Amino acid sequence: MDRSARPWQPSLLFARVELKARLLLPRIRSSAAQQAERLRQQADPRAERLAQALESIAADRVLGQPREALKRIEAARHDLLRSAELVPWAEESTQSLAWICARASQPPSGARLLHHVVSAWQPRQAIELGTCVGISAAYQAAAIQGTGAVTSLEVYPALARYAERTWERAGIDNARVVVGRFADTLGPTLASAEWDYAFIDGNHQGPATERYVAQVARAAAPGALVALDDIDYNDGMRAAWQSVRRRPDVAANAVIGKIGLLALR
Ligand SMILES: C[S@@+](CC[C@H](N)C(=O)[O-])C[C@H]1O[C@@H](n2cnc3c(N)ncnc32)[C@H](O)[C@@H]1O
């Protein structure tokens, strides 16, 4: 259905998604603080590092240059949410950019959690599965501007182009997109660098997610962090989370809202 005829709908959808995410924030922050305490008791350096990332979520502070970058990202999102341009999307043949941005991108509160995690972890090479219009990649890249870079994978070329525009508009110069299906792009991309952070946010099917985690874990640098979005999305994703968090190469794990975190050995 062409939702460009009803441009107010994506904004309403976005407002609902963000309101829900914002209402959950106090609980997520206090759970992050509790999990940090639990991880400290493990007396393991990887668990300690994860505890520090969780503490930065509990503190929820963004200062200096990244703060300005996050404002510019939200200005770019504001424009996307008003775009009636039609682009290819999933099972539907086309969909308005505004609708895709409202439905699939991390809302500001969720994206800010990722920003805190990446800010605390400080990876040099971050990989993201699922670019969409570039919002979460921008939040993560803003946390490592000048020290690291984000490579994001996306199947739709049109979305990849919009992601590049989002980054340009937000002054993010350390993100790039690789176009193609994960099945074709993940292997070669993983082989091209030493990855110390991954965010898996596309194709939310349990077996596929387990495969992506295994592939990333095999290729990643020791002590890398893997974040998975939507671990509560469906039965398959719930089962996948229970399985991956018990992998022998996982030293510590935590959950922030609907995002699972795995600190690898
Ligand atoms: C939930 S959206 C990503 C949202 C983005 N991370 C953000 O928060 O701004 C998932 C994206 O993954 C892409 N995707 C899904 N399955 C894919 C696959 N098998 N290969 C490549 N891209 C895929 C979709 O086209 C979509 O843009």
Side-chain angles (χ1 to χ4, degrees):
M1 187 197 300
D2 173 6
R3 288 182 171 93
S4 60
R6 288 172 279 166
W8 47 271
Q9 278 201 342
S11 294
L12 269 188
L13 173 61
F14 167 71
R16 208 178 65 195
V17 171
E18 170 58 2
L19 179 65
K20 202 170 145 198
R22 206 173 278 192
L23 289 174
L24 287 173
L25 267 187
R27 218 163 59 201
I28 290 174
R29 288 174 63 192
S30 89
S31 148
Q34 281 166 14
Q35 290 180 81
E37 257 179 56
R38 164 182 65 78
L39 287 166
R40 289 239 146 85
Q41 286 162 14
Q42 268 181 245
D44 174 291
R46 283 75 46 113
E48 171 60 32
R49 231 179 137 197
L50 189 53
Q52 284 168 12
L54 293 174
E55 274 167 356
S56 73
I57 285 170
D60 192 27
R61 272 193 296 272
V62 180
L63 303 169
Q65 202 187 325
R67 194 185 163 94
E68 297 311 309
L70 300 202
K71 281 189 197 155
R72 291 193 300 269
I73 299 165
E74 287 309 318
R77 187 201 305 258
H78 187 266
D79 290 350
L80 286 162
L81 285 168
R82 273 148 197 80
S83 171
E85 190 138 348
L86 294 175
V87 287
W89 178 246
E91 310 84 44
E92 306 151 47
S93 54
T94 59
Q95 189 51 274
S96 82
L97 200 57
W99 188 261
I100 291 170
C101 180
R103 194 166 73 175
S105 303
Q106 287 286 337
S109 310
R112 202 174 154 96
L113 296 176
L114 286 172
H115 177 82
H116 288 317
V117 168
V118 175
S119 224
W121 206 264
Q122 283 296 304
R124 287 194 174 273
Q125 294 289 351
I127 185 168
E128 177 184 76
L129 280 71
T131 318
C132 197
V133 287
I135 299 290
S136 60
Y139 268 80
Q140 293 167 103
I144 47 173
Q145 224 163 356
T147 56
V150 174
T151 298
S152 187
L153 313 182
E154 172 57 50
V155 68
Y156 292 115
L159 290 183
R161 278 199 305 278
Y162 278 103
E164 286 169 340
R165 276 193 218 173
T166 302
W167 301 333
E168 200 182 325
R169 169 94 210 269
I172 299 292
D173 58 3
N174 58 334
R176 70 176 184 118
V177 60
V178 175
V179 178
R181 298 185 63 77
F182 301 150
D184 302 319
T185 56
L186 182 58
T189 307
L190 285 172
S192 70
E194 194 171 47
W195 305 92
D196 45 0
Y197 173 84
F199 175 49
I200 301 176
D201 186 21
N203 192 13
H204 295 317
Q205 307 300 320
T209 299
E210 287 196 52
R211 269 199 317 277
Y212 301 147
V213 171
Q215 230 175 318
V216 168
R218 249 193 330 269
L225 183 70
V226 180
L228 296 109
D229 195 31
D230 287 321
I231 57 169
D232 202 20
Y233 184 72
N234 53 31
D235 286 347
M237 287 298 286
R238 280 187 281 276
W241 171 247
Q242 290 309 324
S243 159
V244 296
R245 76 187 189 87
R246 294 190 170 90
R247 286 176 58 94
D249 50 9
V250 170
N253 73 85
V255 173
I256 48 168
K258 60 194 182 70
I259 298 173
L261 299 173
L262 305 170
L264 300 182
R265 291 185 196 284

